[in-house]
Amino acid sequence: MGPGQRVIVELSTLEKALSKTDFTAEKAPLQAIVRSLRPMRLKSLEDLDLNTRGRLITTMLRVQRQPKPPAPEAAPAEAAAPTPAEAPAAEATAPAEAAEGAAPAEGAAPAEGTAPTAPAVDPAREKFDAWTDVMFLVGQVWRAAGDGDRAEVAFSASGRQPGAEAEEPAAPARTEERRERTERRERPERGERRERPERGAAGERRERPERGERRDRPERGERGERPERRPMPELTGDWREQAKQLEAMGRTRDAGRMFERNNAFADAARLFEAGGDLKSALRNALAGSDNDTARRLVGTLPADQLAPTLEKAGAYELLMEHYVGKADFENVARLYERARQFDQAALAYERAGKLTLARKSYERSRDMASANRIRGLEVKSLVERGDRLGAATLLVAVGQRREAVEVLGTLPPPKAFHFMQRLNLEEEAKELAQRELARAEQEQKPAGRARWLELLGDVTAAAEAWEAAGRKDKALPLHEKLGNLARAAQLAEELQQRDKAIALYTQLGDEAGLERAKVLPEAPAVAPAPADPSDAGSEGEGGGEPPATPPAE
């Protein structure tokens, strides 16, 4: 069982004693908790796991809030009475002293005027001393858990401060018995230790190389004396008086915590703000429904702490006011989305310039008229940025094919044709190709006619048109595609493409053509014929495509 599990087990025992307000029974589990926490060497409560930390804080605060019993009246002989620290020693010596005296004879009458030997027990004194011990142990628990502030409060309530001579409380009897039983168990006998074999020549330890001289360290400057922490004086009275005493000592955060535990949120917010803990001040102002103070604190809190604090408190109206004041309409829209008010979220997104998110919110609110309006703005924005394919994609998604064709119509015809095919606008792309083919024939542009024939899939006519336009390099792959290898080999020979001609003649088995191809120069002697100058617009304007999808917002 780990230390955390042992703490939880002892907390259960402590809660049973706490339910009966039995201070004496609370001591043993508190001592066991201190012994479990000390080996963990915690620097703060955050080092504990979530379950152990939550149960420890809840139970210890309940123990610490137990009402203080009334102090017993001072007896005349109180000065001669042993202190709580000396009481165990006095009790130990009492039996020894009693043993030294002679026992009275059997049947002998007691001496006249003698008082009973058993001292009278004062229940008020016993209860008060037990409460003091419990508060002191609570302080030790807080100190072992790394919470020095709560430890000081508990030590002050007990009227005792732990010093260098303070020792760990004695273990309970049941723990000591358990430890003795464990030690009495017989350990399994170990077998005889085998001798280590001698190292051979290969296993001999090599001599270490000598180290160089160590450089002298620079002398460290004298450390200033650490200021001693003044012990907290004893707090008296009820929790309000104790909080006022803490505030008078300048411990405003401790006083604020005390007010917060007792649901006095207004005073807690004031003290936390005075102590510089603005997050806690805002939390208490929200808990106390002090909206004026909360609005004032909202502007002073860092942005990374503001939203979590307000959301945890459920103060969404204040958070909305803050975002509106900062003109942060995107976060305003997100708050409306969390509330499923999509129409208001769409308006906020539109005001923030997030058109895509605004359109989606309108669609979720079933306001299709506003969604179409925002879509029109999106299309206009994409066209202005040069992304006509993205604009056409939006239009096609809602079935506006004609508007998509109009958006693509201003592009060069070959580019518009390819974009239409990508958007599955096959009929519109075919109509565009036929119009451009007719225009090329009317304007007598053989290269343009050949291109559109090829785009329309008429490969045979396209190959002939490319040859008529003087572009044998364009006709060659088309003839090869059609399976007209003889004409493709002849064109390769005419273009002096040596490797291509050899491959085609070899495939045909034409020995004469193969011999002619082998004597061709390795590099073409003449550059390919340029395109028809009248068709420069068809070919030269189609380079480079804009991104196909709208940028994410």
Side-chain angles (χ1 to χ4, degrees), residues 202-234:
E204 292 181 355
R205 182 177 295 177
R206 293 176 294 179
E207 296 182 359
R208 293 182 178 178
E210 295 183 359
R211 294 181 179 178
E213 295 183 359
R214 182 176 294 179
R215 294 179 295 177
D216 296 337
R217 288 184 178 179
E219 295 183 359
R220 182 180 295 178
E222 295 182 359
R223 181 181 293 179
E225 295 183 359
R226 183 175 296 176
E228 296 182 359
R229 188 169 186 176
R230 293 178 299 175
M232 182 182 295
E234 181 179 359

Side-chain angles (χ1 to χ4, degrees), residues 163-183:
E165 72 282 1
E167 297 180 357
E168 184 177 342
R174 57 181 179 179
T175 308
E176 290 292 341
E177 293 176 1
R178 190 183 308 159
R179 188 179 303 169
E180 291 176 3
R181 287 198 303 268
T182 305
E183 292 177 355

Side-chain angles (χ1 to χ4, degrees), residues 95-373:
E97 293 175 357
E100 293 178 2
E106 184 177 356
E112 295 182 0
T114 58
T117 57
V121 178
D122 187 358
R125 165 64 65 182
E126 187 178 4
K127 186 174 183 181
F128 182 80
D129 292 343
W131 179 87
T132 303
D133 294 340
V134 167
M135 291 298 109
F136 183 77
L137 288 170
V138 168
Q140 288 188 319
V141 171
W142 287 126
R143 188 173 64 171
D147 194 336
D149 294 337
R150 289 192 175 107
E152 287 293 335
V153 175
F155 287 140
S156 300
S158 68
R160 297 160 57 187
Q161 290 292 333
E165 72 282 1
E167 297 180 357
E168 184 177 342
R174 57 181 179 179
T175 308
E176 290 292 341
E177 293 176 1
R178 190 183 308 159
R179 188 179 303 169
E180 291 176 3
R181 287 198 303 268
T182 305
E183 292 177 355
R184 286 198 299 266
R185 291 176 183 170
E186 295 182 359
R187 297 183 179 178
E189 297 182 358
R190 297 182 179 178
E192 296 183 358
R193 185 179 242 174
R194 295 177 297 177
E195 296 182 358
R196 177 181 291 179
E198 297 182 359
R199 295 185 178 179
E204 292 181 355
R205 182 177 295 177
R206 293 176 294 179
E207 296 182 359
R208 293 182 178 178
E210 295 183 359
R211 294 181 179 178
E213 295 183 359
R214 182 176 294 179
R215 294 179 295 177
D216 296 337
R217 288 184 178 179
E219 295 183 359
R220 182 180 295 178
E222 295 182 359
R223 181 181 293 179
E225 295 183 359
R226 183 175 296 176
E228 296 182 359
R229 188 169 186 176
R230 293 178 299 175
M232 182 182 295
E234 181 179 359
L235 301 177
T236 59
D238 60 0
W239 68 268
R240 286 189 179 276
E241 294 178 359
Q242 293 179 6
K244 290 179 181 178
Q245 294 170 23
L246 289 172
E247 182 179 1
M249 288 186 291
R251 303 181 71 91
T252 55
R253 296 190 184 184
D254 292 333
R257 293 189 188 98
M258 193 170 291
F259 276 110
E260 185 178 7
R261 286 196 297 267
N262 291 276
N263 298 331
F265 299 114
D267 291 324
R270 174 181 59 81
L271 292 169
F272 277 125
E273 185 178 5
D277 191 352
L278 300 179
K279 183 178 178 181
S280 299
L282 177 58
R283 183 181 66 247
N284 281 274
L286 294 171
S289 301
D290 189 356
N291 292 330
D292 295 335
T293 303
R295 287 189 179 92
R296 178 171 52 80
L297 292 172
V298 161
T300 61
L301 209 63
D304 57 340
Q305 298 180 9
L306 177 62
T309 303
L310 293 178
E311 289 180 4
K312 188 174 182 179
Y316 293 103
E317 294 181 0
L318 285 178
L319 187 59
M320 181 77 73
E321 291 179 10
H322 173 72
Y323 285 144
V324 171
K326 295 289 185 180
D328 188 357
F329 294 105
E330 185 174 357
N331 278 319
V332 170
R334 288 173 181 163
L335 288 178
Y336 277 125
E337 278 187 329
R338 291 178 61 176
R340 304 191 68 81
Q341 299 181 18
F342 299 114
D343 53 345
Q344 299 297 325
L347 292 173
Y349 275 131
E350 184 177 356
R351 193 166 181 181
K354 304 295 182 180
L355 298 178
T356 301
L357 296 175
R359 173 176 53 81
K360 292 180 180 179
S361 295
Y362 277 127
E363 290 173 351
R364 296 181 72 178
S365 65
R366 302 184 183 279
D367 188 354
M368 304 312 298
S370 299
N372 292 332
R373 178 177 58 82

